[in-house]
């Protein structure tokens, strides 16, 4: 059996190389890491087990009967999950990948985005299987320029064994890059010297959304103060956030409906730590259930963070964050939480 897993986080537009590959001096140094181990003789933190399988299936909405009850097997796409080190990491990790990343950081390629993964399944995994694995840096690409920026694609390959037998292979590819410079607004005129602080710290700028071919219509809606929900052209299922195809029927056809703007807090978290520049914790991040039935992650404003509650009615407003950024957020409905 050899199945290839789904690719994810792919966007052919933002990650398609533009122009020629560049083979440079740094590339020659990076290339020496090909074939070096990133993890050696690591052991899975847990045996393959039913609780993790159940949590995975619930999170994925996978109701396949093969993953439940006596004789259950693990979903093949869980392959990577059995190798994850959690917060404490794995004792078998070796430093080649850290060195490779340090080289790239030092050369200015400090950002990272996961681009895709490929999996090959060689045998089914069952509760009780003991997982061991090795990871190797398989390849480093020449320098490439994408819409996100310029950098190098790095592929690692993890060979997974169960009870010592080959069970599958997991390839994971990232782009380590220097972001393309954002267009900068014209600088404001400087005040007279007497009014300037002695040392003016640079103002932190809120992170920009990544706008690409798959979601640009959403942001065009925001610019017109509309929260646009995608509607499948096949089965009419609504979806948010925007995706290239329908998760229910697979149709790539869609149109949009504008959200009425009313909703309720379905769930929320209060961010205390870690502090991010341009954010002022504590603040509430809500999972808002819109009147149309889809859910949307956004800030809950207009109410103290500790007064946000599940079920609270909220209304859509557009928050002007700075000259270059406006965001749809949700304000507690009148009379709520104060
Ligand atoms: Zn559909």
């Amino acid at each position: 059996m050899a199945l290839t897993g789904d690719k994810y986080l792919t966007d052919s537009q933002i990650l398609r190389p533009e122009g020629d590959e560049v083979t440079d001096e740094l590339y020659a140094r990076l290339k020496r890491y090909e074939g070096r181990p990133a993890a050696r003789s690591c052991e899975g933190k847990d045996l393959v087990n039913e609780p993790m399988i159940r949590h995975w299936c619930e999170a994925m909405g996978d109701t396949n009967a093969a993953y439940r009850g006596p004789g259950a097997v693990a979903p093949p796409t869980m392959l990577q999950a059995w190798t994850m080190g959690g917060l404490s990491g794995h004792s078998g990790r070796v430093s080649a990948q850290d060195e490779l990343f340090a080289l790239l950081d030092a050369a200015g390629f400090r950002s990272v985005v996961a681009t895709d993964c490929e999996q090959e399944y060689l045998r089914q995994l069952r509760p009780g299987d003991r997982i061991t694995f090795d990871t190797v840096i398989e390849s480093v690409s020449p320098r490439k320029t994408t819409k996100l920026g310029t950098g190098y694609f790095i592929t690692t390959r993890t060979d997974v064994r169960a009870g010592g037998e080959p069970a599958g292979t997991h390839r994971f590819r990232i782009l380590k890059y220097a972001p393309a410079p954002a267009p900068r607004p014209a600088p404001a005129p400087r005040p007279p010297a007497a009014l300037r602080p002695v040392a003016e710290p640079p103002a932190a700028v809120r992170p920009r959304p990544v706008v690409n071919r798959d979601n640009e219509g959403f942001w065009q809606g925001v610019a017109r103060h509309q929260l646009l929900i995608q509607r499948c052209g096949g089965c009419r299922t609504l979806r948010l956030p925007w995706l290239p195809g329908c998760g229910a029927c697979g149709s790539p056809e869609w149109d949009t409906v504008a959200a009425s703007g009313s909703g309720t807090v379905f769930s929320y978290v209060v961010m205390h730590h870690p502090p991010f520049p341009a954010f002022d914790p504590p603040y509430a991040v809500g999972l808002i259930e819109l009147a149309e039935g889809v859910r949307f992650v956004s800030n809950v404003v207009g109410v103290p963070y500790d007064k946000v509650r599940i079920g609270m009615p909220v209304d859509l407003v557009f928050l002007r964050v700075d000259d270059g950024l406006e965001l749809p957020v949700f304000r507690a409905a009148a009379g709520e939480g104060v």
Side-chain angles (χ1 to χ4, degrees):
M1 178 174 60
L3 301 173
T4 300
D6 286 340
K7 295 199 172 191
Y8 58 91
L9 266 178
T10 52
D11 185 291
S12 54
Q13 186 183 38
I14 55 171
L15 293 172
R16 184 182 57 224
E18 298 179 325
D20 294 335
E21 298 179 346
V22 177
T23 310
D24 54 5
E25 187 272 336
L26 176 61
Y27 174 59
R29 294 171 67 195
L30 301 175
K31 192 128 179 88
R32 288 183 209 134
Y33 284 82
E34 287 187 351
R36 290 184 59 180
R40 201 152 30 198
S41 301
C42 282
E43 265 197 40
K45 291 257 158 167
D46 298 288
L47 301 181
V48 174
N49 64 84
E50 289 176 47
M52 278 174 67
I53 294 172
R54 183 174 61 77
H55 288 303
W56 172 279
C57 289
E58 285 188 5
M60 296 293 170
D62 192 331
T63 56
N64 192 320
Y67 308 142
R68 284 174 293 161
V73 296
T77 46
M78 278 189 80
L79 188 67
Q80 187 192 17
W82 308 115
T83 69
M84 287 179 159
L87 283 178
S88 52
H90 280 297
S91 57
R93 281 192 76 246
V94 292
S95 60
Q97 193 167 350
D98 297 339
E99 289 171 23
L100 178 63
F101 277 32
L103 270 178
L104 285 159
D105 284 340
F109 302 95
R110 294 193 182 88
S111 298
V112 65
V113 61
T115 63
D116 62 286
C117 101
E118 295 165 31
Q119 295 185 331
E120 188 179 357
Y121 312 119
L122 302 171
R123 59 154 276 191
Q124 285 181 321
L125 297 179
R126 294 193 154 76
D129 280 335
R130 183 176 298 280
I131 298 299
T132 52
F133 60 95
D134 292 281
T135 301
V136 66
I137 299 166
E138 189 172 67
S139 65
V140 182
S141 78
R143 193 170 81 204
K144 296 183 181 184
T145 296
T146 72
K147 280 240 166 41
L148 279 181
T150 295
Y152 300 83
F153 289 89
I154 298 168
T155 306
T156 51
R157 188 190 77 236
T158 299
D159 293 307
V160 181
R161 295 174 298 273
E165 286 176 42
T169 301
H170 173 75
R171 276 192 179 77
F172 192 68
R173 191 167 298 115
I174 60 152
L175 173 65
K176 190 92 170 89
Y177 67 102
R184 300 180 76 86
R190 279 167 74 78
L195 299 179
R196 286 203 296 267
V198 177
E200 204 172 319
V205 174
R206 186 127 160 192
R208 311 281 111 167
V210 174
V211 180
N212 59 44
R213 185 175 51 181
D214 293 331
N215 69 5
E216 63 186 354
F218 175 83
W219 291 103
Q220 287 161 358
V222 169
R224 298 193 304 269
H225 285 191
Q226 286 186 312
L227 183 65
L228 296 179
I229 303 168
Q230 273 185 316
R231 177 171 56 188
C232 174
C235 70
R236 317 301 279 170
T237 300
L238 299 179
R239 63 178 187 263
L240 195 66
W242 284 33
L243 292 168
C246 176
C249 77
S251 169
E253 305 299 325
W254 53 270
D255 62 1
T256 59
V257 290
S260 68
S262 50
T264 53
V265 175
F266 182 82
S267 186
Y268 68 96
V269 294
V270 174
M271 279 297 293
H272 292 270
H273 193 80
F276 294 108
F279 290 84
D280 186 19
Y283 54 91
V285 179
L287 177 61
I288 309 301
E289 184 156 279
L290 301 179
E292 290 77 12
V294 290
R295 296 179 191 149
F296 184 70
V297 175
S298 185
N299 291 108
V300 181
V301 303
V303 58
Y305 70 88
D306 57 355
K307 295 287 193 262
V308 175
R309 61 177 174 80
I310 288 171
M312 170 183 273
V314 289
D315 294 313
L316 172 67
V317 289
F318 289 86
L319 175 69
R320 167 62 64 183
V321 178
D322 57 43
D323 282 348
L325 185 63
E326 200 166 23
L327 294 174
V329 300
F330 288 82
R331 179 179 292 282
E336 280 293 330
V338 285

